[in-house]
Every structure is written in C-alpha cells, then in structure tokens.
Amino acid sequence: MEFKEAKNKFVQTWGALGSQWGINKTMAQIHALLMVSNEAVSMEDIMEELQISRGNASMNLRALMDWGIVYKEYKAGERKEFFTAEKDLDELAVKISRERSKREIKPALKILKEVSTIEAKDSAEEKHFVDQTSKLYDFVLKADNMLDKITEFNDNWLGKLVMKIMK
Amino acid sequence: MEFKEAKNKFVQTWGALGSQWGINKTMAQIHALLMVSNEAVSMEDIMEELQISRGNASMNLRALMDWGIVYKEYKAGERKEFFTAEKDLDELAVKISRERSKREIKPALKILKEVSTIEAKDSAEEKHFVDQTSKLYDFVLKADNMLDKITEFNDNWLGKLVMKIMK
DNA sequence: TTAAACTTTCAAAAATAATTGAAACTTATT
DNA sequence: AATAAGTTTCAATTATTTTTGAAAGTTTAA
C-alpha cells in the first residue's frame, strides 16, 4: 500500500469509527487528517483533501476546537489560518473523556438522581424502579469519577492503569 | 414527582444518552424500560408504552438480544413472548464492552495495523504518518486489552478498579 | 475608507438513519 | 389441514442529521 492510499484509508476508518460513537463523520475525518499531518493544515487544504464545503469545514473545525483537541495556528506573513491536532494520545483521551463527561454523563446523572429519589410507595413495581435507578446512579457516578481520576494522572495513565489491573 | 412521570423521564433520558453514543434511541428506550421493570414485558406492552410499531419493537428487541443484554422468556400457558433485561450492571457493562470491541474496535485495529506498516520512504510526511498511526495502534490495542481484562474480573470490577486507582 | 482575503452563519437541500405497516412466515391449537 | 395467535421481514415513508453555498461578517493592508 502506498502512502496516499494508506492515509485515505486511515481517514475513512477514523470517520466511520467516530460515527459509530456519536461523533459526526466529517469532524472525525478532519481530526484524523490533522493527527497524521506533520504540519499545520489550512482550511482550503482540508476542504480539498476531504472534498467538503467551506461551511462544513468551518463548523467542524470550530467543534473540534471547542472539544480542545484542535488548535488554530498563524503563520508569519500568511493571512489565512492553519490547524493542528492534539497529537499526544493520553492528552487526547483525557480531553475527550472530560468533554463527554461534562456534556453527556453529568446531565444524565442529574436526571438519574431525580428519578431515583421519588417516594416509592409500597408497590413492588415502584420499589424495583427506585432500587434499580439508584444502583444505576451509583454505577455511573463511580465510572464517571474514574474518568476524573484518570484525568489527574500525569503521563501515560493508560500504561500505568494497565499495570495496576494486571498485578 | 410521581412514579409514572419518573419512569418516563428515565426512559427518555436513557434513549437520548444512547443516541449520543451511537445507539439507536428506541433500542436504548426498550432497554431502559426492561431494566426498571420488575417482571418480563410483552412486545405488545412495549409497543404500547413507547408508542412504537410492531416492526420497530421486533427489530430492536432482536438487536438487544444480539448484544446479549435482553433475554426472551416464556410464560406457562401464554403463547406470546416476554422480555427481560440484564439487570446486573457489572454484567451489562462487560457485555456492552465486549460487543463494541468485537464490532468496532477490533476491525479498526486491523486497519490501523495495515496503514501503520506501510514502507515509509524518506519524506518527513510519511515518517510522521507511520509514527503517529503506530502510536495510535498501540494505544487503542492497550485500551482494548484493558476492556478484555475487565471482562475477566469477577463481581464488582468497577469498584475494585476504583480502589486500585485511588491507592 | 476601501478593497481584498479570509471566515462564519444559517436556511435550504441532500444524505442518512429510523420507523411504519402490511404481507409473509412460524408455531400452536382445534 | 385449517385457523388462530403471534413474530419477522423489508420496501416505502418519515424523521433526523449533515452538508452545502452564498450572503453577511471580520480583519488586514494599502
């Protein structure tokens, strides 16, 4: 396989994986493209490589920057903007975890707490509901805290964590 | 908040959360409904509660069973089928991890391996591509193995893991 | 202060994904 | 072996999400 083919395959695969995890395909593709580029890329070039419109590129670059995993760069003497991706994978994972926690898990936890604290009367049905949603609340809270803890680790948390699990 | 309202809120929230993680809303809603039901539920009742068609219910129940997190049950003297969800949350997490690994991560890893092993010639661009995709391959492989390891644990792996991380 | 270079916004269009519903299929009962 | 009870399938429809493209906005430079 030659370079261009491999690069394209990678970008497509990353895009597909993104879709399956609720991340818009183009957003994942742009991210993939920037991850494997050794220098900052202009919007023009992104549009060209991915065959997408200016609006699409602009909106998804903004989203990636909101996630904190893509940065804007300015080159001396150049008017246009260039973009680079966070290339450190530990850092990338931490940022994605943080964002998903903030945007999705925290709000879900709030609802889970609300519904798990209704007064359960005496029917078995209602008791089971309260019991199950309480357990779910505890579980999700614990999982979410685990992500927070990981965030606090320094370099190579994944490696360290794997060591701990193995032992 | 009264029971019916809480139950509905829970089902809607779980459905929305599913969507955000690439799981069809109805599938997540059916799962939510079964999780908080203290007894097996018929397709008829699922259709009624979620206001969905028979086809939709049938297809999503099949999908949930393929994931191994919903089971069919038969009641003596009743011709129709009833459904229950896996209610043990550790077991649920393990099964979801396994399926997503098998369906999405493993195939992605295969591609990652392919593209990271092209011959890198001498351009800095190609070298960076190979370097970055190799790192990504290692990272994803490690994360995926971590999920496998979790699978092997027995009860309450999440709690145990949290203890390990804390220490 | 004007124009050029570039970016953002957002309503409309296109693409994708989910849902319906009725026919086909399966299994149990008379 | 005919009918009834129930389930599955899938082409067509509907809903949702993504993408486009052009107008509006912004910034820099002459």
Side-chain angles (χ1 to χ4, degrees), chain B residues 127-167:
Chain B
K127 276 196 183 114
H128 179 263
F129 176 84
V130 167
D131 183 56
Q132 190 67 17
T133 51
S134 299
K135 281 180 180 157
L136 203 46
Y137 175 79
D138 291 343
F139 188 90
V140 176
L141 185 65
K142 213 185 269 181
D144 187 53
N145 282 340
M146 195 171 86
L147 289 184
D148 273 357
K149 279 287 164 297
I150 281 168
T151 287
E152 288 164 19
F153 277 33
N154 263 349
D155 269 344
N156 194 231
W157 59 266
L158 181 55
K160 288 180 188 166
L161 190 53
V162 170
M163 294 308 288
K164 286 199 175 190
I165 292 173
M166 301 299 186
K167 87 118 224 279

Side-chain angles (χ1 to χ4, degrees), chain B residues 38-55:
Chain B
N38 58 339
E39 48 189 55
V41 184
S42 70
M43 200 155 89
E44 212 68 48
D45 288 346
I46 291 169
M47 288 163 58
E48 167 65 22
E49 282 224 50
L50 302 180
Q51 290 292 302
I52 58 173
S53 70
R54 187 172 295 285

Side-chain angles (χ1 to χ4, degrees), chain A residues 23-160:
Chain A
I23 286 141
N24 144 350
K25 187 185 66 175
T26 302
M27 185 169 155
Q29 286 182 342
I30 294 178
H31 181 247
L33 185 62
L34 296 180
M35 284 244 292
V36 297
S37 296
N38 57 339
E39 47 189 55
V41 184
S42 71
M43 201 156 89
E44 211 69 46
D45 287 347
I46 292 169
M47 289 162 58
E48 167 65 23
E49 282 223 50
L50 302 180
Q51 290 291 304
I52 58 173
S53 71
R54 187 172 296 285
N56 197 6
S58 173
M59 288 193 305
N60 283 112
L61 280 166
R62 142 91 46 221
L64 285 162
M65 289 187 294
D66 289 348
W67 277 58
I69 59 178
V70 160
Y71 316 112
K72 224 182 237 185
E73 269 187 16
Y74 298 95
K75 285 193 188 177
E78 291 257 32
R79 187 113 159 233
K80 62 171 166 260
E81 300 167 340
F82 292 81
F83 302 88
T84 34
E86 173 60 62
K87 294 198 180 69
D88 181 89
L89 299 178
D90 289 312
E91 195 57 33
L92 177 66
V94 163
K95 287 190 163 169
I96 290 175
S97 301
R98 269 199 204 144
E99 282 301 302
R100 296 208 88 148
S101 168
K102 189 172 73 187
R103 296 177 192 210
E104 296 152 15
I105 301 180
K106 294 271 160 40
L109 270 173
K110 188 162 164 283
I111 304 286
L112 225 34
K113 179 153 222 166
E114 280 173 37
V115 302
S116 67
T117 51
I118 63 168
E119 212 202 325
K121 310 240 179 71
D122 41 17
S123 83
E125 192 188 10
E126 302 196 10
K127 278 198 183 112
H128 179 263
F129 176 85
V130 168
D131 183 55
Q132 190 68 18
T133 52
S134 300
K135 281 181 181 157
L136 203 46
Y137 175 79
D138 291 343
F139 187 90
V140 176
L141 185 65
K142 211 186 270 181
D144 188 52
N145 283 339
M146 195 173 84
L147 289 184
D148 273 356
K149 279 286 164 302
I150 281 168
T151 287
E152 288 164 19
F153 277 34
N154 264 348
D155 269 345
N156 194 232
W157 59 267
L158 181 56
K160 287 180 188 166

